[in-house]
Amino acid sequence: MTRPTILGTGSYLPKRILTNRDLEKMVDTSDEWITTRTGIKSRRIATKGEETSRIAAAAGKDALKMAGLTPDEIDLIIVGTMTPEMAMPSCACFVQQELGAVNAFALDVNAACSGFVYGLDTADKYLRCKPDMKALIIGTENLSARVNWKDRDTCVLFGDGAGACVLATSDNNDSGILASRLFSDGRLSDLLMLDSAPSMNPDLNFQTKNNNKTEIGSEQGPYIRMKGKDVFKFAVRAMSGAVSELLATVDMTVADIDLLIPHQANIRILKGLADRLNIPFEKIFINLNKYGNTSAASVPIALDEANREGRLKKGDLLVLCAMGGGFTWGTTIIRW
Ligand code: UT7
């Protein structure tokens, strides 16, 4: 059986580094608190010329190079992001333009931190219908533009970056995506939010403040808002449940996993995940200490690092999993 397979990976990390020590001068926090509560030591901050689509295109270029493909060979570009520089055109169309991927169609996926896993699943389904297609899947974020730098609860957590992979159907019977599954639960939407420009025209007066409908929008500004403890507990439960359930569908168990690349949000979430799955911690790839939580970019950046560090050998069983606002979550099982 031929399966969609990852031919190349890539990433781009903005040059500017913001350390915990730097943050101590900005808000009432400490390196000790951030390190022990999250595992994060530093994060990257995008500056001029490092807009969401630009860093996405840089990561995409990297992945194409490794795959040995030119941009005009790509049929589909999917970009997972919740921080596109514009509502229209999509980030994916900017990426297409920047790369010169003239034969592709391009779309964005907004699934917050699960954006890359959502994009990979979507591309996987396209390629199974049309096996000659080649897809570029990217996760990219400019979260530093969308956190409140006066709010210590959130500003210490996030960072900017982009990661990518090229997916194409392989003739190799063994390698490729073995299984993938996505989940959402919109009932939990208010636990993790990022305000955007209002999409209701106030002149039309569709919604008044006290009409018992959910009030969208924050008084403080268009920033990330989060009920951290609730998100934390859900993330551990959702990712561990999704991984073990999906493994069972392909007659495998956690013991078969060679490398688990989870969304990089908090080292304590990853320890909780390891405990619940009963997987040795060494089998979990971690780079959140360097980059913080880069949302949709976190899994593909980690995937690219793991790949370039030689952590993935041919035949290895790789599992990706992520959880984010929406809530959204999902997992992918790949034979490398
Ligand atoms: O990507 C998916 C979305 N996000 C996540 O997965 C994040 C999930 N949540 C978390 O990672 C954790 O809940 C946090 C790291 C956000 C917070 O850790 P926590 O152990 O849940 O801490 P907490 O919110 O209960 O806060 C404990 C204390 C509070 O002080 P009091 O009330 O105990 O006096 C906070 O005000 O720590 C205080 N605090 C801080 N102190 C120093 C909160 N942020 C900071 C800070 N520096 N940056």
Side-chain angles (χ1 to χ4, degrees), residues 243-295:
V243 168
S244 37
E245 276 171 35
L246 193 65
L247 280 167
T249 67
V250 286
D251 292 326
M252 289 184 188
T253 68
V254 169
D256 294 307
I257 299 177
D258 293 295
L259 190 67
L260 176 63
I261 300 186
H263 170 49
Q264 309 281 311
N266 185 320
I267 194 79
R268 291 185 296 132
I269 291 180
L270 303 190
K271 286 191 174 136
L273 183 63
D275 287 348
R276 260 183 113 97
L277 283 175
N278 197 19
I279 185 172
F281 202 52
E282 312 77 69
K283 285 193 175 181
I284 300 185
F285 189 84
I286 292 159
N287 65 3
L288 62 84
N289 51 313
K290 294 185 286 184
Y291 310 131
N293 180 346
T294 58
S295 184

Side-chain angles (χ1 to χ4, degrees), residues 28-30 33-34 37-38 113 152-153 156-158 192 226 228-229 231-232 235 263 265-266 268-269 293 323-324:
D28 180 15
T29 192
S30 64
W33 191 95
I34 302 171
R37 293 294 180 126
T38 72
C113 305
R152 69 175 185 174
D153 288 346
V156 304
L157 304 173
F158 298 98
L192 188 49
M226 177 172 70
K229 268 198 198 312
V231 179
F232 186 113
H263 170 49
N266 185 320
R268 291 185 296 132
I269 291 180
N293 180 346
M323 179 270 156

Side-chain angles (χ1 to χ4, degrees), residues 223-240:
Y223 302 130
I224 291 177
R225 292 177 281 138
M226 177 172 70
K227 297 199 174 113
K229 268 198 198 312
D230 295 323
V231 179
F232 186 113
K233 284 186 226 153
F234 191 89
V236 175
R237 275 203 316 271
M239 290 195 289
S240 58

Side-chain angles (χ1 to χ4, degrees), residues 61-88:
K61 216 176 267 181
D62 221 17
L64 283 168
K65 193 172 167 206
M66 188 188 284
L69 295 178
T70 52
D72 59 341
E73 291 179 273
I74 293 296
D75 305 287
L76 166 62
I77 298 172
I78 303 183
V79 175
T81 186
M82 59 175 182
T83 53
E85 59 257 53
M86 298 192 82
M88 179 187 70

Side-chain angles (χ1 to χ4, degrees), residues 147-148 150-151 154 195 217-226:
V147 294
N148 180 354
K150 293 189 179 120
D151 174 18
T154 51
D195 297 297
S218 129
E219 299 293 309
Q220 292 102 48
Y223 302 130
I224 291 177
R225 292 177 281 138
M226 177 172 70

